[in-house]
Amino acid sequence: MDIVHLLKGEKVIYDNKEVIITKMNTLDTVTIEELSTGITHLVHVSSLKPIFKKKDKLDDINTLSEKKWELAQERFDIIKPILENPGNADLVKKISKENNISPATIYRWLKLYKSYGTISSILGKPKTGGKGKSRLEPEQDEIIKKHIKNTYLNSSRNSINKTIRLIVSECYDKNIQPPHPNTIRNRIKNLSEEEVMKKRVGIKEAGYKFNPIKNSFPGADYPLSVVQIDHTRVDLILVDEYYRKPYKRPWITVAIDVFSRMVVGFYLSFDPPGALGTGLCIAHSILPKEIWLEKIGVNAQWPSWGFMNTIHVDNAKEFRGKMLKMACQNYNINLEFRPVATPHFGGHIERLLGTFSKEIHNLPGTTFSSPELRKNYDSEGRASLSLTEFEKWLTLYITKIYNIKEHSSLGMSPLDKYKEGIIGTREKPGIGIIPRVFNERKLRLDFMPFEERTVQEYGVLINHITYYHDVLRRFIHSKTNNAKNKFIFRKDPRDISVIYFYDPELKEYFDIPYRDTSLPSISQWEFNDVIRTLKKSKTPINERNIFNTYKEMDEIEKKSIRETRKRKREIKNLPLNTPFKENSSAQFEETIDTDIKPFEDIDDEAFI
């Protein structure tokens, strides 16, 4: 996981140049200085990238054995107090002594965790026997230690190359075989980042980056300390994207930051609540929003991103799945369940959903919240918004109304409160701009449920559909100790024409399309509709029947649209005094202007 850290003193990439952050200006802008020229810039944080270093690719968490996962958690428990109190060298020594682990090992675990951002990363790469172990003589080791301390770790900020030259020179003076320059470089790279910054830049500057935030636990005392998540079925009938015919009511999963009451993410779907929707809502909350906002065509500011410390959810089964639990644990997110019979624990998110409902009841196609309110209102006939359009409407409401409107219990808007927690006030310092995830695809996939399948000569079969790509070829009939190997596959419900295969050797995800690439892209809910139709007609469920039925349903939709349009044209061309024949009520209903609201513009004399 590549993370862009945005604190003062952090080195990042801007416009393909290495720069250092010198000042936080607003919620999403910083001042940077080019290291090579000293030129300063005021930039938006979205223009910054992490400094990419060659890193070992690590195993997917779901491929780890229970023993390895327990080991990763044990190591994390050891370094967790240090993460909560950064820059405390005495604490490192104390923990080192208590656990009989060298400080160098603890610093290595800290560096791995900071670099990758996951608990599983603390395991590092698999061991390779003696490869990579130090083979230095004691005399060589002493000379390296001396020059790292006296030459590299001081305010003169001598370069690594100069340190290497002095080490090599002293070795020759003492008739000792000098170590390879890469050995010295690796030794320097493995130093504690806090210690390097203190010695080379100064304790004050290091403090900006490593000093702890006081009084940050256990409540919602700062942004993303506690996020509540819940879902509800929306009181609104949506139309399908293509034919604009009434379809069904969607479900929404929403995340709210308790400290500021700011909405930090959501997920819309026609599927009932489950681990998938919850995981994608969490991923949406963690990820930056700029690219996504541009993609859906919304010109707005939504400056929230980053890992939350705690997620509060209710006790529903969709929140208790293994995938969700492990994904949260791996990213050090504490998943807390609301105590039974304590509704006030979820009060913030429930009030938010109530606020959303009031606004949604003003939209065409609303079902309101009760049959009494719905009386005399044709919800299906008035339905106008597709899922994509409703997602855009909801995003505009969140970013341009809810997040910037004064909240009664805060005395300010959620956005202003969030900003206060980040930037700080005269009385209380802020926590600083929260680190941003750079590898968005990896994080989103990590929060998607997965299937485990063997790879056959035809590819892989998931939910009666066959997928194949050449990257699967070398895993066909793969076995370990005469047992068939199973591999991890994930999918996005919005488009199941592609699944994502985790290659355990390359430790990367690859897109795997339908084996028959002529088949149409469909969503998970369209697939579910087809399966229900097949079951009702007692037709065998297989790939051929699935897509044939989908095509038939598609043709029925098209025909109904054509017939409806044709009939409307016929009725429109009838003379005004033409009497209605049989089924005239149906003809009359087709002539109603669906833009007219209930009881609008009715001539009372028509009823005399």
Side-chain angles (χ1 to χ4, degrees):
M1 180 58 55
D2 297 306
I3 296 174
V4 187
H5 294 277
L6 298 164
L7 296 175
K8 186 174 179 180
E10 194 73 43
K11 290 181 182 178
V12 290
I13 297 294
Y14 170 73
D15 194 24
N16 295 321
K17 301 184 186 77
E18 194 168 309
V19 299
I20 190 168
I21 297 172
T22 58
K23 185 181 178 183
M24 293 186 304
N25 296 288
T26 66
L27 197 58
D28 51 10
T29 62
V30 294
T31 301
I32 58 172
E33 180 182 320
E34 293 183 18
L35 293 178
S36 58
T37 64
I39 296 173
T40 60
H41 306 272
L42 175 65
V43 299
H44 192 277
V45 292
S46 61
S47 65
L48 304 177
K49 300 177 182 180
I51 294 177
F52 291 105
K53 298 176 182 177
K54 188 176 180 181
K55 297 188 291 188
D56 298 303
K57 291 176 181 177
L58 304 178
D59 292 316
D60 184 284
I61 183 177
N62 297 289
T63 64
L64 298 177
S65 65
E66 283 190 25
K67 189 175 180 180
K68 280 190 174 181
W69 176 236
E70 286 173 3
L71 177 61
Q73 288 178 305
E74 287 173 9
R75 292 182 177 181
F76 180 74
D77 287 341
I78 290 171
I79 66 171
K80 190 174 181 180
I82 304 169
L83 291 169
E84 293 173 358
N85 295 274
N88 191 334
D90 291 335
L91 181 60
V92 174
K93 291 175 184 176
K94 180 185 175 186
I95 290 174
S96 169
K97 188 175 181 180
E98 288 175 350
N99 293 277
N100 196 26
I101 298 170
S102 72
T105 298
I106 291 175
Y107 281 123
R108 186 173 71 252
W109 294 349
L110 289 165
K111 187 174 182 179
L112 282 167
Y113 180 76
K114 182 177 180 184
S115 180
Y116 292 94
T118 60
I119 290 177
S120 58
S121 66
I122 304 173
L123 293 171
K125 61 181 179 180
K127 291 185 178 179
T128 56
K131 186 179 179 181
K133 291 184 179 179
S134 174
R135 296 182 177 84
L136 294 176
E137 297 295 328
E139 295 85 354
Q140 293 174 312
D141 197 52
E142 282 301 316
I143 293 172
I144 291 173
K145 285 180 180 177
K146 183 181 79 173
H147 281 286
I148 286 177
K149 181 181 179 182
N150 298 333
T151 306
Y152 185 76
L153 292 176
N154 66 47
S155 58
S156 299
R157 304 186 198 179
N158 291 310
S159 68
I160 293 177
N161 285 337
K162 182 174 181 179
T163 307
I164 292 171
R165 286 199 302 272
L166 291 174
I167 290 170
V168 170
S169 176
E170 183 168 344
C171 286
Y172 279 134
D173 289 343
K174 295 183 176 180
N175 293 320
I176 297 171
Q177 176 66 34
H180 193 280
N182 285 345
T183 301
I184 303 168
R185 286 193 181 92
N186 289 334
R187 182 76 67 90
I188 291 173
K189 285 179 182 179
N190 285 327
L191 292 171
S192 157
E193 193 174 351
E194 296 112 295
E195 192 65 20
V196 170
M197 196 165 183
K198 281 180 182 178
K199 300 286 182 164
R200 289 173 62 85
V201 182
I203 293 174
K204 183 178 178 181
E205 290 300 314
Y208 285 119
K209 183 174 180 180
F210 296 106
N211 283 348
I213 307 297
K214 302 296 183 182
N215 303 319
S216 58
F217 281 93
D221 302 325
Y222 58 96
L224 300 186
S225 52
V226 179
V227 167
Q228 286 183 348
I229 294 181
D230 206 349
H231 34 237
T232 189
R233 198 168 193 186
V234 179
D235 296 331
L236 182 72
I237 292 177
L238 299 181
V239 300
D240 70 273
E241 299 282 349
Y242 188 75
Y243 300 109
R244 314 297 299 185
K245 293 188 71 176
Y247 187 51
K248 61 175 72 172
R249 293 162 60 194
W251 289 86
I252 181 173
T253 304
V254 186
I256 183 175
D257 171 48
V258 176
F259 169 81
S260 65
R261 311 295 197 276
M262 187 154 93
V263 177
V264 293
F266 72 89
Y267 176 71
L268 273 175
S269 168
F270 285 120
D271 287 332
L276 177 63
T278 305
L280 289 176
C281 177
I282 293 172
H284 187 242
S285 303
I286 293 170
L287 294 174
K289 312 292 192 295
E290 294 91 5
I291 295 174
W292 177 78
L293 287 169
E294 185 177 347
K295 182 180 177 182
I296 67 171
V298 172
N299 181 18
Q301 299 295 313
W302 196 350
S304 68
W305 58 78
F307 295 103
M308 57 286 292
N309 287 325
T310 296
I311 294 177
H312 272 172
V313 292
D314 65 23
N315 281 276
K317 65 179 181 179
E318 60 266 19
F319 292 126
R320 291 189 172 273
K322 181 182 176 183
M323 179 281 299
L324 192 61
K325 181 181 177 183
M326 289 192 72
C328 287
Q329 283 182 337
N330 199 33
Y331 285 101
N332 191 26
I333 298 171
N334 179 31
L335 191 62
E336 285 189 1
F337 297 95
R338 189 187 307 172
V340 179
T342 53
H344 60 281
F345 270 78
H348 300 297
I349 188 67
E350 287 173 2
R351 279 194 291 274
L352 173 68
L353 291 173
T355 301
F356 280 8
S357 293
K358 289 177 184 176
E359 294 296 328
I360 289 167
H361 290 165
N362 294 321
L363 293 175
T366 179
T367 59
F368 298 98
S369 54
S370 69
E372 186 64 29
L373 292 171
R374 194 160 58 244
K375 196 180 291 182
N376 299 319
Y377 184 81
D378 180 10
S379 298
E380 289 196 1
R382 303 284 177 179
S384 302
L385 295 170
S386 67
L387 187 72
T388 301
E389 290 162 346
F390 179 55
E391 180 182 53
K392 186 173 180 178
W393 177 91
L394 188 60
T395 303
L396 284 165
Y397 174 73
I398 289 170
T399 56
K400 294 197 171 185
I401 298 177
Y402 179 82
N403 279 349
I404 63 174
K405 185 180 178 183
E406 182 175 317
H407 195 285
S408 57
S409 64
L410 298 174
M412 63 177 72
S413 71
L415 180 59
D416 284 340
K417 183 67 176 177
Y418 191 84
K419 191 181 299 184
E420 185 180 275
I422 298 291
I423 304 299
T425 63
R426 290 182 179 179
E427 295 76 28
K428 186 177 180 181
I431 63 171
I433 299 178
I434 297 169
R436 289 163 56 102
V437 172
F438 189 75
N439 189 343
E440 296 189 12
R441 183 175 184 268
K442 170 71 166 58
L443 183 127
R444 196 176 289 110
L445 287 171
D446 282 348
F447 278 94
M448 286 184 188
F450 63 91
E451 308 264 359
E452 289 186 301
R453 293 288 189 278
T454 58
V455 178
Q456 305 298 318
E457 62 275 5
Y458 54 77
V460 59
L461 186 70
I462 294 181
N463 291 342
H464 312 287
I465 299 177
T466 309
Y467 299 84
Y468 182 77
H469 189 279
D470 281 343
V471 299
L472 298 174
R473 186 186 295 275
R474 66 183 189 279
F475 298 106
I476 293 174
H477 299 305
S478 170
K479 292 183 178 181
T480 302
N481 298 328
N482 293 323
K484 289 184 177 180
N485 291 328
K486 288 188 175 182
F487 302 91
I488 289 175
F489 295 87
R490 302 180 189 261
K491 66 178 177 180
D492 189 325
R494 292 159 294 194
D495 181 2
I496 63 171
S497 65
V498 175
I499 57 176
Y500 305 95
F501 163 65
Y502 178 73
D503 186 321
E505 293 177 1
L506 299 178
K507 306 189 191 310
E508 287 183 11
Y509 279 97
F510 291 90
D511 295 7
I512 311 296
Y514 294 145
R515 183 177 181 88
D516 182 354
T517 55
S518 68
L519 297 175
S521 298
I522 63 174
S523 66
Q524 184 64 49
W525 36 91
E526 288 173 320
F527 173 86
N528 293 341
D529 286 344
V530 172
I531 295 298
R532 279 191 288 271
T533 301
L534 291 174
K535 285 181 177 178
K536 202 175 289 184
S537 63
K538 297 184 179 178
T539 304
I541 298 174
N542 54 50
E543 184 177 288
R544 186 175 183 178
N545 288 340
I546 287 170
F547 285 99
N548 282 343
T549 303
Y550 176 76
K551 187 176 180 181
E552 288 174 19
M553 292 167 70
D554 192 52
E555 286 300 322
I556 290 171
E557 291 274 9
K558 287 178 181 176
K559 186 178 179 181
S560 70
I561 294 291
R562 288 196 298 268
E563 290 297 322
T564 300
R565 287 174 178 169
K566 179 182 175 184
R567 190 65 182 138
K568 283 184 176 181
R569 283 196 299 270
E570 289 174 353
I571 292 172
K572 186 177 180 181
N573 293 327
L574 285 173
L576 291 174
N577 59 354
T578 301
F580 284 103
K581 297 180 182 179
E582 287 185 53
N583 300 322
S584 61
S585 61
Q587 293 174 335
F588 178 73
E589 286 175 7
E590 289 181 351
T591 65
I592 293 176
D593 183 353
T594 55
D595 288 331
I596 297 176
K597 293 185 168 53
F599 310 113
E600 182 178 82
D601 296 334
I602 291 180
D603 184 356
D604 291 336
E605 293 182 3
F607 297 99
I608 297 175

